[in-house]
Structures are given as structure tokens and as C-alpha cells.
């Protein structure tokens, strides 16, 4: 990672003021307070891996508060911030929840008023992730912001181990590979959050979590042409009628969601330089379509263009 700001070269009394100026410029309006009488120390390192921005923040005894007033002075918040604790202990609060993070733990903040308090010697790796990407898979971010996602859980440990290696090696990846690795990192974070949501869920939220588990299963099995609502319900462990009710409560039909995700993933693969070697038919079969004609018909109905024209418009070979 590349160091983009350090207080080491400044006098002690100027350090926190300069730190505040830097944070305002990089993150946006935010209220900060130094909670210690000792000199402030701060360091920021950054690395972009494809579309994924990773930032390591080392700061001592700082309270950072995003308020309604500071939010109004920001651009529309399109991102959520995934915080991975690397050293020290910190506390976060949002949406009437508080999370205490120790080394290896994850929490998510962003989009609405929130509070983060870093202890002395606090080190945090921050991933900036599109809010829409997380909410498509997990539901409203109000379900999982400021939720402690423990680092000793297997799903969390897998996610953080991959991201550590991504930080170490990400600068060596070519652009196409970097984009794919960024997607994997985001998916692993989603899996660790989903694992946490599946435990100790309050009654009113249980239906939402079941739907998110079903959506995660769909993502993992899009290439299976036999995947249908009945098989999905069996895999999730609920009745088909109950699963249909839960999807309807969120404004979806199960079959429509499966076909929507198949088409969206196919459209992404058709324009991905990393899959340019795949024929259109191979892309179609890999997304669960049983024939090229069926794929073409559904694709045109959704996107008002053919798969070939979609690929050619992105500058990819139309094979």
C-alpha cells in the first residue's frame, strides 16, 4: 500500500488539525475529536484493486461522528464502509446498535448518522463497497450496520485472510484480474455478514434473513438449470409456500428473481474482458439457460438488444 498521509513529519500541536483537514478532503464532512492529552499520531495508506478502494488507517484515540448536518454537506452516499480491525480495540454505533471490534472483527458503517471511536494504537483496514451491492444480497443496510462480525467465525476468517493477501499482492495484478479479485473480496464480505445475520436474529427480522439466505443460494447455483422455487425452498429448509410469502413481502417472485439474476450475471460476463474467450453459448449455459435460443429470447426481452449486440457494444468480440 502507498502512504498518502502521515503526521510523523509535523509538530505535535499541528498534527490533529492537519489530520482533520486530510480526512475532510478524502472522506467528506465529519466531526472529529482527539480524546487524549498525548500527541496525536495518524497514518493513512491506500491501494485500489480494480474498483475496490482499500485504506489502512492508523490513528490514536479519535472520535469520528457523521451527523445529519455533515451528511447534508456530502454527495449522495453511494458506498458503505467495511471496517476490519487490525490492531487495538474500537467502538462503532449506528442504527441503535453498538459494535465493539477487536483484532480480526468486521463491522459496517455508512449512509446514515454514525459514530466511530478509535482507541490508542488503533489500526483499521477500510473497504469502500457500493451500498447497492451489499443491499441486493443482504437487504437494507439497517439490518447489519454496527453489527460485530466476529473474527473467530470461519466465514469471517476466510474473508479477512483473502483481503490480507489482496492488500499484499493487489498491486501486482493486471487490471482484469484485479477487477475479478475485487469482486471475490466483496462476495466474501457479504458471506461473512450473511453468516452473522443467520445467528441470534430477532423474530421480525427472521423472514428477511431467510430471503437473503435464499438469494445467496441462488447466486451460488445460477449455473444449475434445475434450480427452481421448489428446489430452493428445500435447500433453505422452509416450505415453498412460506418462501413465496417472504419473497412477495419484499416485492419479488422467486422465479422472477432467479431469471433476473441469471440475466444480470450473463450481461456482466458478456462485457467482462476476463471472459472474452467464452462463446455466447458458453456464457448462457454457465448461467443456467438450457439453450442459446431461450437465452437470446429472454435477454432481448429484458435489455432490448441481443447478447451479441450487447457484447459488441462493449468492444468485446462477439463469438
Amino acid at each position: 500500500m502507498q502512504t498518502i498521509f502521515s503526521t510523523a513529519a509535523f509538530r505535535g500541536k499541528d498534527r490533529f488539525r492537519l489530520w482533520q483537514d486530510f480526512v475532510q478532503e478524502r472522506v467528506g464532512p465529519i466531526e472529529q475529536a482527539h480524546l487524549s492529552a498525548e500527541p496525536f499520531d495518524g497514518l493513512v495508506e491506500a491501494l485500489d484493486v480494480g474498483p475496490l478502494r482499500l485504506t489502512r488507517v492508523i490513528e490514536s484515540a479519535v472520535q469520528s461522528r457523521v451527523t445529519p448536518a455533515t451528511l447534508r454537506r456530502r454527495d449522495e452516499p453511494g458506498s458503505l464502509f467495511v471496517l476490519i480491525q487490525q490492531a487495538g480495540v474500537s467502538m462503532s454505533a449506528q442504527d441503535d446498535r453498538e459494535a465493539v471490534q477487536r483484532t480480526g472483527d468486521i463491522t459496517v458503517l455508512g449512509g446514515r448518522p454514525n459514530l466511530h471511536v478509535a482507541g490508542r494504537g488503533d489500526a483499521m483496514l477500510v473497504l469502500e463497497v457500493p451500498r447497492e451491492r451489499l443491499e441486493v444480497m443482504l437487504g437494507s443496510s439497517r439490518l447489519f450496520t454496527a453489527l460485530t462480525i466476529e473474527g473467530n467465525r470461519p466465514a469471517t476468517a476466510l474473508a479477512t485472510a483473502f483481503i490480507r493477501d489482496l492488500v499484499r499482492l493487489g498491486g501486482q495484478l493486471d487490471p482484469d484480474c484485479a477487477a475479478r479479485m475485487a469482486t471475490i473480496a466483496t462476495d466474501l464480505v457479504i458471506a461473512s455478514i450473511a453468516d452473522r445475520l443467520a445467528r441470534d436474529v430477532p423474530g421480525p427480522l427472521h423472514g428477511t434473513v431467510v430471503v437473503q439466505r435464499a438469494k445467496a443460494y441462488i447466486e451460488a447455483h445460477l449455473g444449475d438449470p434445475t434450480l427452481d422455487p421448489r428446489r430452493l425452498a428445500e435447500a433453505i429448509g422452509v416450505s415453498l409456500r412460506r418462501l413465496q410469502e417472504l419473497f412477495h413481502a419484499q416485492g419479488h417472485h422467486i422465479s422472477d428473481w432467479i431469471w433476473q439474476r441469471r440475466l444480470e450475471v450473463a450481461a456482466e460476463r458478456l462485457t467482462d474482458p476476463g471472459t472474452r474467450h467464452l462463446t455466447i453459448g458458453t456464457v448462457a449455459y454457465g448461467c443456467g439457460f438450457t439453450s442459446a435460443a431461450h437465452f437470446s429470447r429472454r435477454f432481448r426481452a429484458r435489455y432490448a438488444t441481443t447478447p451479441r449486440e450487447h457484447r459488441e457494444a462493449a468492444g468485446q468480440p462477439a463469438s
Side-chain angles (χ1 to χ4, degrees):
M1 303 185 86
Q2 180 182 1
T3 298
I4 59 175
F5 184 84
S6 173
T7 60
F10 303 109
R11 293 184 302 173
K13 67 177 183 179
D14 295 329
R15 288 180 174 183
F16 188 62
R17 175 180 57 80
L18 294 168
W19 175 263
Q20 288 176 295
D21 292 343
F22 170 79
V23 171
Q24 295 274 339
E25 181 179 344
R26 183 170 177 84
V27 178
I30 189 169
E31 296 180 1
Q32 291 192 299
H34 186 210
L35 305 179
S36 172
E38 299 181 25
F40 174 77
D41 291 312
L43 173 70
V44 178
E45 300 173 319
L47 173 69
D48 289 342
V49 179
L52 184 64
R53 170 182 280 188
L54 301 102
T55 307
R56 180 181 288 121
V57 180
I58 301 174
E59 56 185 352
S60 56
V62 175
Q63 175 181 284
S64 300
R65 184 185 294 274
V66 176
T67 68
T70 59
L71 279 173
R72 285 195 294 270
R73 303 203 311 269
R74 292 188 183 193
D75 295 332
E76 174 65 23
S79 298
L80 293 173
F81 298 93
V82 177
L83 283 55
I84 303 174
Q85 192 79 23
Q86 295 192 309
V89 179
S90 68
M91 187 279 289
S92 300
Q94 184 171 2
D95 296 323
D96 298 322
R97 278 191 299 271
E98 291 187 359
V100 175
Q101 284 184 265
R102 297 173 175 83
T103 301
D105 291 350
I106 295 176
T107 196
V108 180
L109 296 175
R112 294 174 301 283
N114 62 78
L115 172 72
H116 180 75
V117 181
R120 184 154 187 84
D122 185 89
M124 185 80 67
L125 184 65
V126 182
L127 284 64
E128 190 172 338
V129 179
R131 182 174 59 182
E132 182 181 8
R133 174 71 176 129
L134 267 63
E135 291 190 333
V136 162
M137 295 303 302
L138 298 166
S140 169
S141 59
R142 294 180 186 275
L143 298 174
F144 54 83
T145 47
L147 190 68
T148 301
I149 303 163
E150 303 91 338
N152 58 5
R153 296 285 301 179
T156 312
L158 283 169
T160 55
F162 180 86
I163 292 167
R164 280 197 305 271
D165 285 341
L166 188 63
V167 170
R168 182 169 59 89
L169 301 171
Q172 303 174 33
L173 302 174
D174 66 64
D176 292 346
C177 186
R180 290 193 291 275
M181 293 300 134
T183 298
I184 292 171
T186 302
D187 287 344
L188 287 170
V189 167
I190 290 170
S192 65
I193 299 171
D195 173 68
R196 176 64 182 83
L197 286 173
R199 295 179 289 120
D200 306 322
V201 181
L205 298 181
H206 183 263
T208 299
V209 173
V210 170
V211 171
Q212 304 319 317
R213 286 176 53 215
K215 289 181 177 180
Y217 187 90
I218 291 169
E219 293 297 308
H221 296 83
L222 281 177
D224 181 356
T226 68
L227 178 64
D228 62 13
R230 187 172 300 281
R231 281 201 55 201
L232 178 62
E234 292 173 356
I236 299 303
V238 299
S239 71
L240 175 58
R241 181 175 179 177
R242 177 58 177 157
L243 190 60
Q244 288 171 330
E245 290 173 349
L246 294 174
F247 265 78
H248 290 168
Q250 295 193 4
H252 303 300
H253 294 278
I254 302 173
S255 293
D256 290 347
W257 182 265
I258 292 172
W259 288 114
Q260 174 183 323
R261 290 301 299 146
R262 282 174 167 159
L263 287 166
E264 289 172 348
V265 170
E268 291 171 4
R269 292 180 182 175
L270 287 172
T271 58
D272 183 354
T275 54
R276 64 167 64 104
H277 61 287
L278 299 179
T279 66
I280 291 175
T282 300
V283 170
Y285 298 135
C287 292
F289 293 89
T290 56
S291 73
H294 180 213
F295 173 54
S296 182
R297 185 168 61 252
R298 280 191 174 267
F299 196 94
R300 181 187 284 275
R302 178 170 179 80
Y303 295 108
T305 187
T306 68
R308 181 180 298 274
E309 291 166 346
H310 180 76
R311 174 173 267 184
E312 289 175 342
Q316 302 297 333
S319 59

